[in-house]
Amino acid sequence: MGRKMRHFLNISELKTNDVKKIINQSHVLKKEYGKRKFKKKIILAMIFEKPSTRTRVSFEVGMKQLNGDVVILDQADSQLGRGESLIDTIKVLNRYVDIIMYRGSDEKKLYEIANFSSVPIINGLTDQSHPCQILADIMTLEENFKDISNLNLCWVGDGNNVCNSWIHSCLHYGFNLNISCPKGFFPSKKVIDVVKSKKINFFDNPYEAVIDADVLITDTWVSMGMQDEEKRLEKFKSFQINSKLMKSTKKNTFFLHCLPAHRGCEVTDEIIDGKNSLVWTEAENRLYVHQSILLWCLGKV
Ligand code: CP
Ligand code: NVA
């Protein structure tokens, strides 16, 4: 019997040991950047049903630095855009490539292709999750705190895909996670029930949520593919991360945002460009984390 296929789908399904292995290896890959090489050429296919800058570039650069290569299929310029099914596309890619990254909408499709594929599948973001991002964020926290095990994290804004993956991370780390969202925008019960942590607490008032925060985290108020932008924005106004909110914390609080940011909406310039903003390092760390995820999926970590 061969090794069980290692898909990278959701943090909630990974073993703690594997999450920590991937992140530890990411630190090594950063320190020794450019040294690690595949013994034989490995090809990654990336399917994008939604736009991307960081995910696309960091996977591509990461693969090339490992002596691998990538092929990219965008919805618009592949037969996916003309109605060829995703499963048929995967069947074909399985004959060409060693590993596949998929960015799409409904997570059901991610699991369908993972059940079907003969090569590992990496979740590059769905409407429900963004696990690659959260591993890079945790790596960034490890670089900035001596011990991250009991950090007070505070999510302010939309209870979206990125927030869901933070919730999943609480299965592996002892984070205290406060979540403050406008009514109707909290993460779903389904996601919260996966973790059932007493250390995750919910707040209507962001000023109450942030008091003890070591890290404030937010994301766009309008994720890719969402409608009703105008109506949503109105409800989010008091959930902006700005100097006033930052000053309400009792600590030297850091700031994380997965990017792209909508300056003046979920975050102000003085916070994202401020001394406690970790956003650029967070984006950089996607590179090493993606290399590490690739190596883990391929059984090389
Ligand atoms: N944070 C993130 O995933 O960015 P992209 O959408 O640019 O890939
Ligand atoms: N929540 C955002 C994340 C972008 C990386 C979105 O899904 O658009």
Side-chain angles (χ1 to χ4, degrees), residues 51-56 103 125 130 133 224 258-260 286:
S52 169
T53 297
R54 280 144 287 270
T55 305
R56 179 173 174 151
R103 170 170 283 198
L125 178 146
H130 198 2
Q133 180 68 54
M224 290 181 275
C258 64
L259 305 176
R286 299 288 300 279

Side-chain angles (χ1 to χ4, degrees), residues 5-10 13-14 44-45 47 59 86-87 89-91 93-94 97-103 107 109-124 126 131-132 293-294 296-298:
M5 180 100 61
R6 276 187 181 170
H7 298 302
F8 180 86
L9 303 180
N10 262 306
E13 294 159 0
L14 295 172
L44 165 74
I47 302 175
F59 266 110
L86 185 60
I87 290 285
T89 307
I90 295 292
K91 276 187 199 172
L93 290 180
N94 279 180
V97 305
D98 305 286
I99 183 160
I100 297 169
M101 192 233 70
Y102 171 71
R103 170 170 283 198
E107 199 146 278
K109 289 202 308 189
L110 172 78
Y111 282 87
E112 267 169 35
I113 63 172
N115 279 332
F116 185 86
S117 180
S118 60
V119 304
I121 302 287
I122 296 172
N123 176 359
T126 68
C132 292
I293 291 169
L294 288 160
W296 178 80
C297 288
L298 296 163

